[in-house]
Amino acid sequence: MAGFVLIAVAAFFFPGVILRTKSIASGRKGPGIFQPWKDIAVLFRKGSVFSDTTGLIFRIAPSVTLATVTGAMLFLPFAEQKAVLSFEGDFIMFAYLLALGKFFTIIAALDTGSSFEGMGASREALFSMLVEPAFFILIATFAMFTGYTSFSVIFNHFFITGNDYVLIYSIIGAYLLVQIAMIENSRLPVDDPKTHLELTMIHEVMILDYSGFDKALIHIGTYLKFAIYGSLIYNLVVPAGWNVILQTGLFFAVQALFAVVIGFTESFRARNKMNKNPKFILTLSSIALIAFMVILILTEKLA
Amino acid sequence: MFGSTAFLVILLLSLFVFAVPEWLKYYFTLGLLTAGIALSTSWCTGVLPDAGQTCELSLFTAATGTRMVLVIDSLSAFFILVINFTVLVGFLYARGYLEPYRARMNALRFSIHYFSYLWLWISMLMVVMVRDGLSFLIVWEIMALSSFFLVIFDAEERSIMKTGISYLIQMHVGMFFILVAFLIVQQDTGRMSFDALGEYFGRHRNLPVFLLFFAGFAIKAGFIPLHTWLPEAHPAAPSHVSGVMSGVMIKMGIYGIVRVLAAMQSDLLVTGVIILIISLVSGVLGVMMAIVQHDLKRLLAYHSIENIGIIGIGLGLGVIGQATGNHTLSLLGYSGGLLHVLNHSLFKSLLFFNAGSVYLAAHTRNMEQTGGLMKRMPWTAILFLTGSLAICGLPPFNGFISEYLIYMGMFGSLSGANLFHSILIVGSIAALSLIGGLAIFCFTKAFGIVFLGEPRSDQAGHAREAGKSMIYPQLATAAMIIFIGLGSPLVVKPVFGIVGQIWNLGAQPLVSGAFTANLAQLSLAGGIFVVTVAVLLLYRRYHLSRRVVETGPTWGCGYTAGSAKQQYTATSFAYNYNHIAKPLLQTRKEIEEIGEDEIFPHGRKFLSHSDDLFKRHLVDRPVDLVSGLLKRIAVMQTGQIRHYILYAFVFMLLVLLLAMLKII
């Protein structure tokens, strides 16, 4: 349960930290740390405008997507506590639930009949498809290294093996997760959420027609997803056996660091050219294969 | 004894389809079908709960003294249930689907159609029940013939007849392989039967005969590169037939492979690796080719190849598990594969039925001509969405359960594995996840382009919802999909039992116990998800009821005169992807460039087309080569008697010469 609650709390600060980092890095005064949530409060107060073309799918998609994200949160452990739901193979459910959310986001964009949104949908479908193998190879290395197939148990046993070189693997894994999170949440270098031209957007163009309540749900989903990946990264670098109070502090520190990294990346980096993106994403799969090699060496299968 | 007599009566009565008056034909066939299904299902009830039981029925004794015996063990029972459900649903659906054809086709055509449908069903039942090799080949042949007649039902178009013939030829190539394999077994053991396989495999190398069987069955199942008939025949057939063919008939190939695998005793590792690699290739390439299709039914046909690949991955893992002594891997792999047989029969037939409804309503299978059908056909759209989510393997639908089992087999076997095994498994995991991602790409495209947005043609704009008689049977299939998705322990446990019994897996009770607990958790997670969605939607409704809700045009970037033609099409949706996959798919474009001196360009056409590489190089090329050669030889056929006499004379001279030289 702790994992679930902590992710929800972290999601509360996450977008604000990114925003502050970007403001400071670009020398602006910028909005306050809670601005994103204030925006959401505004959205909740507002009414909605729906396109005539849209139908049922467009209306249910944000709710379904948010439900997939909260569902995925149930599988993440914290410290030595088990996650709310923990069973063998829960990470498969985790990944496929998030994919279900993607599915609905994509068809909701197609529901508007807009060529812009169709374009965004096509790109999002392609990129999230390409990133899938990287994530699965990564969790395969988890399973191979620890011999378990559930997030809770894997992270509990991650550092117990007594092999100090695990840290090398943790770092590669954390790097991969940061990149996967950036792609899954449509941030730089694959997509730029602050771009102003529909033709160059991916995720933003898909949700152009949303307003009010539904848009708020979409934003909440994105923030939670950031915190979910942050929590995965945290579990990968901090041993589960440490003191719980210390860990709570570290949890927020890691989340904050993750947000700052995103903020800095977005301040100092340009977005990839659109047709470079597939190559960029496929590179992640090869990095995941490096992680696999590291594990092969650690488990002494490859000497 | 009662059962076999009743079965024979049904077989005989099927002839009366030709005799009954036209208005009664459908109901007569339906009656026979229902009776037969009730009968054959009752045979299974005795076998299924207590795996290990078999039920024998002596059908008749031929004049030569050989008895035609039907043997039902738990594997047969599983397949019988799969066949019965989809065949019945398909036939119920057919009533509405065939309505428009009634006006333009005569009664005889319908009689032939119903008769073939009945016999396709009967032959499939017999395929999974007979053990004797000769009887097996006979019913296998009946299955190919009856499905051939079903495919060419709509053969006003020449292309359909051509497709049908090509299908028939390929089926016979497959049968030839099976025949040869059986003959080899008979040479050695004196018996031509599945039961003799174990004896043969005990004494000889397993791989060669397995490969022969595999080649034969894989043509039916549609493994790449033997799939070339599949994307042609499925779109040509009427939709209820495509549903049955893709849903269950191609699974007969899987059945055959499973029967042979169950008897194998050595060469297991190499067999497993071969099956696994062919299946991975089928899975990935199948879905890759599916994405670029414009024809909805052809897209679904390519997806059948992908799903056969997933089934094959399960079976391959099972064999590898047996070879390495890893019973958990075997159990999960085989069960995942078998369960996917059931799952695929449900969602694929559902999707084909939906595609049929779309075809009837919009008079086209070309996705570029459709659009906006969800508003016009809400039920069909929701059913198609259910099928799409299930085929992508997304929770909480049934496709996820079988993929979960296969994934679990792979993940679970990683920790103790050696280097080769680890690399193989991690590669398979990556491929399976890629298949999942590609399937999502494909079905967001199919659903989004066909059902969402604005209609791209007048026909699509005037589409009407399919009749109730077509919707209700599909609802039953959709209910099964959701039932298996949410109540998986209930279904997976019997499947574990069947697998444990066929392959004698000792660890079965232990593993299946632990796994049922996992599956229960999976159901719980699915349930939580469904409840969350429901709560969110209810709250949303309440929330919006107290706010101002307006409608307006879709945001057009300030441009207000956008038309339906400007929407993203199936081709443009796949454009990005096509760019990456080009080396493999060889998509061609036909476009006439605008000349420099052309000041006022005239109207132009743009065509894009993607060939099936395997079809081109494996079927079309050799056939062209042979027929080219034969055409050249045909110069000899002058039609003048004196030339023929000359040929005969030359031939006799040749024989004489050869005899003199003592060559013959």
Side-chain angles (χ1 to χ4, degrees), chain A residues 43-60 62-64 66-68 70-71 74-75 84-93 96-97 99-100 102-104 106-108 110-123 125-130 132-134 136-137 139-141 143-149 198 208-209 213-214 217 274-275 278 282 289 292 296 299 301-302, chain B residues 291 374-375 382 385 388-389 392-397 400 403-404 407-408 411-419 422-424 426 429-434 436-441 443-445 447-449 451-454 514-515 517-519 521-522 524-526 528-529 532-533 536-537 539-541 543-544 547-557 563-564 566-568 572-580:
Chain A
L43 284 175
F44 272 128
R45 281 200 297 277
K46 282 187 173 179
S48 292
V49 184
F50 291 105
S51 154
D52 305 316
T53 311
T54 60
L56 179 72
I57 297 292
F58 186 80
R59 286 164 177 74
I60 64 168
S63 308
V64 174
L66 184 63
T68 60
T70 52
L74 296 175
F75 303 116
V84 183
L85 279 176
S86 165
F87 53 93
E88 285 178 47
D90 53 5
F91 47 60
I92 304 168
M93 181 91 176
Y96 272 70
L97 261 181
L100 177 66
K102 269 270 142 80
F103 192 105
F104 271 92
I106 294 165
I107 56 175
L110 288 171
D111 201 10
T112 60
S114 143
S115 46
F116 293 126
E117 303 203 19
M119 190 166 57
S122 157
R123 288 171 179 168
L126 181 72
F127 298 154
S128 48
M129 160 200 112
L130 292 175
E132 210 79 358
F136 271 89
I137 294 175
I139 47 178
T141 58
M144 192 161 113
F145 182 53
T146 59
Y148 296 98
T149 50
E198 283 87 344
L208 269 182
D209 267 273
F213 183 80
D214 288 334
L217 291 194
M274 203 56 85
N275 54 10
L282 285 174
L289 285 176
F292 171 58
L296 281 179
T299 52
K301 286 179 185 170
L302 188 73
Chain B
I291 292 177
M374 186 156 188
K375 286 210 177 113
I382 288 172
L385 181 63
S388 308
L389 292 169
C392 292
L394 294 170
F397 297 93
F400 177 68
E403 286 195 26
Y404 167 82
Y407 268 126
M408 278 317 291
F411 281 117
S413 71
L414 269 174
S415 68
N418 59 18
L419 181 64
S422 310
I423 292 173
L424 191 69
V426 168
I429 289 175
L432 191 53
S433 64
L434 187 65
L438 286 161
I440 290 176
F441 189 96
F443 274 93
T444 47
K445 169 185 133 169
F447 181 75
I449 301 297
F451 289 99
L452 304 176
E454 296 283 353
F515 248 86
N518 286 331
L519 289 166
Q521 292 269 316
L522 214 60
L524 179 64
I528 292 178
F529 168 72
T532 320
V533 172
L536 274 172
L537 286 176
Y539 177 71
R540 177 182 183 276
R541 195 168 169 170
H543 185 94
L544 288 186
R547 302 285 188 287
V548 188
V549 177
E550 297 164 76
T551 53
T554 297
W555 169 244
C557 209
S563 78
Q566 289 172 0
Q567 290 177 98
Y568 243 47
S572 43
F573 191 83
Y575 179 81
N576 283 329
Y577 158 82
N578 222 330
H579 199 70
I580 312 175

Side-chain angles (χ1 to χ4, degrees), chain B residues 476-517:
Chain B
T477 311
M480 282 294 285
I481 287 176
I482 294 169
F483 169 72
I484 297 177
L486 285 175
S488 53
L490 295 173
V491 186
V492 174
K493 216 168 174 187
V495 175
F496 275 149
I498 295 171
V499 169
Q501 187 255 323
I502 302 174
W503 280 279
N504 286 321
L505 298 173
Q508 185 252 320
L510 199 74
V511 180
S512 74
F515 248 86
T516 323

